[in-house]
Amino acid sequence: MTLTAPGSLQADSAAGGPVPPSPARGLVCRNCGATFGLIAEHACAECFGPLEVDYDAELMAAVTREQIEAGPQNIWRYAALLPVGQDPADRVSLDPGMTPLVRADRLAAELGITGGLWVKDDSANPTHSFKDRVVSLAATAAKGLGYRKIAAASTGNLANSVAAHAARVGLPSYVFIPSDLEPGKVVQSAVYGQTLVAVDGSYDDVNRLTSELAETDEFEDTAFVNQNVRPYYAEGSKTMGYEIAEQLGWRIPAQVVIPMASGSLLTKVDKAWRELVKAGIVADTEWRVFGAQSAGCDPIATAFDNGWDVVKPVKPTGIAKSLNIGNPADGPYALDAIRRTGGSVGRVGDEQIVEGIRDLARTTGVFAETAGGVTVAVLRQLVEDGRLDPTQETVVLNTGEGLKTLDPLLPVVGFTHRVEPSLRSVRSAGLIS
Ligand SMILES: Cc1ncc(COP(=O)(O)O)c(C=O)c1O
Ligand SMILES: [Zn+2]
């Protein structure tokens, strides 16, 4: 199965208006450079290296700010920079994106950041995490490639998003998650009435199982969003980078702190900015990319600290379950981006993660899930040990919603007072004199 060739989607959309051509030329191996058509494969037939979308440089260079600004208030405003979904009629999407970029002056003051601090709040997406961006791309590619079902191995947020996308368009989905995920993540996957399989194992076990399932007759007609259509899926994360630049007034921030599980999001934010520079949409300024992991699952942090090019798998533990990928597929590429830009990687323990969630909520009004707690706690660590420059403009990514991971907060936050319904009781609680 292949998608339509580049430049050929030029007919007028059923929804009206001209449809920009797809800039996608094919897939290219990130390891050996071998090229392929727009096929449903994520590994190179020559060397098993990961495949990514290869773009037509001329079509990308022709994209303008004005063209983007005239688009819808969601990720599809960047359709001319994405591999699929140029024609609205082709999209399988909850239309995520254009989430708030929140100025975090009070957090900046607390941390001693004087160059400006922003939180990109992706909890505002339809299923409350950045995964709606990647699933919209994957599901649209799956439709274009002729698949009849979608599936995923997930640490939770991807499960939520795949099930919701499937429910919206009436496509069957099969989601596989570790059986010990947070109740919030389980309920938010189950409520859409799709197939949800709990696997008694880690995410890495689940991922191995779904790779085996993809080879069976029953799943032959199934797009596994982070496996056989992964090259298209991963491009969805670029939209977070495009939006940050656009929301800053077409400017790239000097520093960004990004949570890492597989490492894909980090590599794609960096890629988005390189594309915007190359297309002449933003000025060619320098930026540094910082990665955030939890101490319970820190394979990329360990590789960074030791100067390794390869990432040694770990067995994940700890409360940041959405980031608990012990064998990160994009780890080496995340390391490349971090080292090339002069960034670094931080790791924080469970107590710091909870503090990170509370610090962000207390100073910005944004309630993050554990992954956001990791990112904010790593930001604090990077400032304290001098790796992040407090005089430079910085963006931190909140990739998921706090209501999804209430469990670690329940023992530490709650009522500040409890009273009888009488002024006397309120007085004795010290709220009035
Ligand atoms: C909330 C949240 N943030 C960040 C990530 C990391 O994404 P990636 O696997 O692209 O590194 C995930 C992955 O599941 C996630 O759920
Ligand atoms: Zn290859």
Side-chain angles (χ1 to χ4, degrees), residues 322-368:
S322 60
L323 302 182
N324 279 352
I325 296 184
N327 189 8
D330 289 279
Y333 303 98
L335 286 168
D336 277 352
I338 294 161
R339 288 181 178 137
R340 176 174 42 75
T341 62
S344 187
V345 185
R347 64 161 79 63
V348 286
D350 285 355
E351 272 180 37
Q352 290 165 290
I353 296 169
V354 172
E355 281 310 305
I357 293 171
R358 298 179 72 184
D359 288 346
L360 183 68
R362 188 169 42 75
T363 57
T364 67
V366 171
F367 183 20

Side-chain angles (χ1 to χ4, degrees), residues 203-324:
Y203 169 81
D204 300 285
D205 296 327
V206 178
N207 197 39
R208 188 172 28 78
L209 175 64
T210 53
S211 318
E212 289 168 14
L213 273 175
E215 302 300 322
T216 64
D217 291 347
E218 288 77 4
F219 284 94
E220 197 187 32
D221 57 350
T222 308
F224 285 80
V225 301
N226 47 350
Q227 289 168 8
N228 51 14
V229 293
R230 187 174 178 88
Y232 310 98
Y233 157 96
E235 294 296 285
S237 288
K238 291 193 307 183
T239 60
M240 210 147 160
Y242 298 146
E243 283 176 25
I244 291 168
E246 183 176 356
Q247 289 170 319
L248 287 174
W250 293 117
R251 208 157 44 70
I252 297 174
Q255 304 176 115
V256 64
V257 188
I258 304 177
M260 300 188 292
S262 72
S264 176
L265 171 64
L266 183 142
T267 65
K268 297 298 174 177
V269 169
D270 175 68
K271 185 181 184 202
W273 291 346
R274 283 186 283 128
E275 286 176 357
L276 292 182
V277 169
K278 216 166 151 197
I281 294 173
V282 298
D284 188 2
T285 53
E286 284 191 1
W287 65 85
R288 292 199 291 156
V289 180
F290 295 85
Q293 292 209 294
S294 78
C297 183
D298 60 354
I300 307 176
T302 301
F304 181 83
D305 288 348
N306 290 293
W308 301 337
D309 293 331
V310 291
V311 176
K312 210 170 112 196
V314 301
K315 224 177 159 42
T317 58
I319 61 170
K321 293 186 182 185
S322 60
L323 302 182
N324 279 352

Side-chain angles (χ1 to χ4, degrees), residues 151-154 174-178 196-199 206 209-210 213 219 224:
S154 172
Y174 297 80
V175 167
F176 298 80
I177 53 173
L196 176 65
V197 183
V199 179
V206 178
L209 175 64
T210 53
L213 273 175
F219 284 94
F224 285 80

